[in-house]
Amino acid sequence: MHSTLIVARMDLTSAGDVAQLFAEFDRTDMPHLMGTRRRQLYSYKGLYFHLQDFDTQDGGERIEKAKTDPRFVGISEDLKPFIEAYDPATWRSPSDAMAQRFYDWSAR
């Protein structure tokens, strides 16, 4: 399994709106097209964390392909009032907001 973690800024009062947008999005076939196995959203002191798990390592590639789908474009636009880039000066796409894993352990 492959995971990505996007970090951004979010007003905590927006959590319900953001959750609803993703609930609607995840009821479509888009998660399947992107290879998403699981999505978890977290907030902490004005920060937003979007953890997404994929079955395979090609999750990033599949998301890149999905970026032109009207549903992906739509949710990206719908999230703009609620989610702000962590560093607006360097943000161009979600990949600019992905945390870099520096340690991984799992029971085998």
Side-chain angles (χ1 to χ4, degrees):
M1 182 165 47
H2 175 71
S3 301
T4 61
L5 177 64
I6 294 174
V7 180
R9 298 185 189 280
M10 180 184 79
D11 183 323
L12 296 179
T13 62
S14 300
D17 294 313
V18 172
Q20 181 62 36
L21 288 170
F22 275 107
E24 292 169 9
F25 182 78
D26 289 338
R27 281 193 288 272
T28 71
D29 66 337
M30 285 302 295
H32 174 73
L33 293 174
M34 296 185 314
T36 303
R37 179 184 189 117
R38 180 174 71 169
R39 179 188 325 279
Q40 296 180 16
L41 305 176
Y42 298 86
S43 64
Y44 177 74
K45 295 186 178 183
L47 295 177
Y48 159 89
F49 301 92
H50 180 159
L51 179 62
Q52 197 167 207
D53 296 325
F54 302 91
D55 285 325
T56 63
Q57 293 286 349
D58 68 348
E61 295 169 23
R62 290 173 79 171
I63 287 178
E64 285 300 314
K65 291 178 184 175
K67 282 167 107 175
T68 57
D69 187 292
R71 295 166 293 183
F72 189 96
V73 172
I75 193 168
S76 297
E77 286 299 314
D78 292 344
L79 288 169
K80 283 183 178 180
F82 307 111
I83 306 295
E84 177 185 335
Y86 181 81
D87 184 359
T90 61
W91 192 89
R92 292 172 308 286
S93 73
S95 63
D96 295 322
M98 284 188 192
Q100 301 300 312
R101 179 180 303 163
F102 61 92
Y103 178 78
D104 185 20
W105 178 90
S106 62
R108 300 187 199 260

